[in-house]
């Protein structure tokens, strides 16, 4: 609208241009996972191995709490509480803090991971293969591996592009 004031003689032409409607675009629905699809992914990690226990706990808490990946990998051991009810303390975007209760199953998965996690040089809850803090990229890799294997038992996963953010939307849709 700036040109209207700079060149008053072009006022009619400016109004004609501004009257042209914007191009309409289709907006895609945001992908999300159903409870059955998420369960198929959670069934993949081997509960008899260290990384299987870690992955199950990590995927479960991410889905149930609807966490952003940065919130998940930023979780500290001290952010987990089991009494009176299992819950996680999240430091979110804009340094906003919230405490979220988690399902009993999720609490059991977290307890199993903490039992075998052992001492580490970092305070983060989830560790990578070198006992350092799990990264966003590391989590995306873990998720991709488990989704690939879950597709064999849950064909509907083959039609979806599952990213870490998809878990967050799955949480929101399961609440609806």
């Amino acid at each position: 609208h700036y040109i209207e004031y700079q060149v008053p003689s072009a006022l009619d032409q400016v109004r004609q241009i501004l009257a042209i409607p914007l191009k309409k675009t289709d907006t895609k629905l945001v992908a999300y996972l159903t409870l059955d699809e998420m369960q198929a992914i959670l069934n993949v990690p081997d509960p008899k191995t260290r990384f299987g226990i870690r992955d199950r706990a990590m995927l479960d808490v991410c889905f149930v709490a609807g966490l952003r990946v940065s919130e998940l990998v930023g979780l500290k051991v001290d952010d987990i509480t089991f009494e009176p009810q299992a819950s996680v303390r999240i430091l979110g975007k804009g340094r906003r803090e919230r405490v979220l209760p988690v399902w009993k199953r999720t609490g059991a998965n977290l307890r199993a991971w903490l039992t075998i996690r052992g001492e580490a040089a970092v305070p983060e809850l989830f560790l990578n293969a070198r006992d350092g803090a799990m990264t966003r990229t590391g989590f995306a890799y873990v998720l991709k591996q488990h989704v690939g294997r879950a597709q064999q038992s849950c064909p509907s996963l083959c039609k979806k592009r599952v990213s870490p953010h998809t878990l967050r939307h799955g949480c929101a849709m399961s609440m609806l």
Side-chain angles (χ1 to χ4, degrees):
H1 300 293
Y2 178 71
I3 198 153
E4 293 175 18
Y5 303 107
Q6 292 290 93
V7 187
S9 61
L11 186 61
D12 287 335
Q13 188 177 10
V14 169
R15 286 190 176 144
Q16 288 175 352
I17 293 169
L18 291 175
I20 298 171
L22 295 173
K23 183 178 178 182
K24 293 184 180 180
T25 59
D26 293 334
T27 54
K28 284 187 171 182
L29 285 175
V30 178
Y32 66 93
L33 297 176
T34 65
L35 289 174
D36 289 339
E37 290 167 338
M38 190 61 214
Q39 190 58 55
I41 295 169
L42 285 174
N43 289 341
V44 171
D46 184 354
K48 295 179 186 88
T49 67
R50 174 178 164 81
F51 292 127
I53 293 168
R54 178 206 60 191
D55 293 354
R56 186 172 288 196
M58 196 166 52
L59 291 164
D60 200 6
V61 75
C62 185
F63 177 77
V64 167
L67 301 182
R68 293 179 179 91
V69 183
S70 57
E71 294 169 344
L72 177 73
V73 298
L75 274 178
K76 310 265 188 291
V77 173
D78 295 342
D79 294 334
I80 308 300
T81 307
F82 293 103
E83 299 300 330
Q85 177 185 352
S87 62
V88 292
R89 187 175 62 83
I90 310 298
L91 186 61
K93 214 173 185 180
R95 302 198 57 79
R96 274 181 267 184
E97 193 174 325
R98 63 192 193 277
V99 175
L100 302 169
V102 295
W103 297 346
K104 286 182 182 175
R105 177 199 72 203
T106 309
N109 286 335
L110 284 169
R111 197 179 298 267
W113 167 240
L114 284 171
T115 301
I116 64 157
R117 177 185 179 273
E119 292 297 318
V122 296
E124 281 78 15
L125 176 64
F126 296 112
L127 306 175
N128 61 23
R130 293 173 305 286
D131 283 342
M134 177 65 66
T135 63
R136 294 166 56 107
T137 307
F139 177 72
Y141 175 80
V142 167
L143 177 62
K144 182 179 178 184
Q145 298 303 307
H146 294 311
V147 168
R149 291 198 39 225
Q151 288 173 339
Q152 297 165 3
S153 63
C154 186
S156 64
L157 283 170
C158 296
K159 300 176 190 128
K160 294 185 178 182
R161 186 181 159 273
V162 180
S163 70
H165 206 70
T166 311
L167 301 183
R168 183 171 164 81
H169 288 284
C171 171
M173 292 303 289
S174 70
M175 287 183 191
L176 288 176

